[in-house]
Amino acid sequence: MDAATPDKPKTIRLTIPVDQEVHATFARIAKASGMPIGRAMAEWMADTLDAAEYLAETLEKARAAPRLVARQLHSYAMGLMDETGALLEQVRQDSRTRSGRAQTGLGASGGLAAPPSCNTGGKVPSKPPKRPRGDAR
């Protein structure tokens, strides 16, 4: 068992039942990271501690004042819907701007669009090359 030091508090060991899918996922993480499964799970939980603390606070508030928490969560959801709507509208405007530039031949910077590159790395000529005389294709 780990000894407690001033720098490192004593580690608490737990037995946690998990389903096979959870075990398999953490086994993959552990293998890829070169560590035991228990350590992989412990690091994951430590990395997500802020979210777990927020969840614990929210659940405690919900138990004490369920209507208040329900209103707060509804407010968060409405704010998220507003942000999503604004983001979608921005994407629509950007798409319209890009399609308008493509129709007018303007590039993203507003200037004339450069001709597309060809597979040799050079620029595609604006006029097709002249055919030699007598070449009837």
Side-chain angles (χ1 to χ4, degrees):
M1 195 168 289
D2 295 331
T5 63
D7 296 338
K8 182 179 176 187
K10 184 177 180 180
T11 300
I12 300 171
R13 297 200 174 266
L14 302 172
T15 301
I16 304 170
V18 296
D19 63 27
Q20 290 179 351
E21 185 178 7
V22 171
H23 183 269
T25 299
F26 278 97
R28 289 175 53 206
I29 292 170
K31 184 177 179 183
S33 303
M35 65 176 75
I37 295 175
R39 183 171 170 204
M41 288 180 157
E43 286 188 7
W44 180 274
M45 287 189 276
D47 289 346
T48 59
L49 185 59
D50 290 341
E53 286 179 357
Y54 176 76
L55 178 61
E57 286 177 20
T58 303
L59 291 172
E60 289 167 350
K61 287 179 186 175
R63 186 166 296 272
R67 288 187 180 157
L68 176 65
V69 173
R71 276 185 283 185
Q72 285 178 335
L73 292 175
H74 182 261
S75 174
Y76 293 154
M78 296 303 288
L80 185 59
M81 284 176 40
D82 291 344
E83 289 295 318
T84 303
L87 179 63
L88 288 173
E89 182 58 32
Q90 182 180 357
V91 169
R92 281 188 207 108
Q93 287 177 356
D94 290 349
S95 176
R96 279 182 257 169
T97 302
R98 271 188 249 121
S99 67
R101 285 185 179 148
Q103 290 173 357
T104 61
L106 296 177
S109 64
L112 290 176
S117 297
C118 65
N119 62 356
T120 62
K123 295 293 183 185
V124 176
S126 56
K127 295 182 183 178
K130 294 183 180 178
R131 286 191 233 150
R133 291 184 185 237
D135 186 14
R137 287 188 207 181

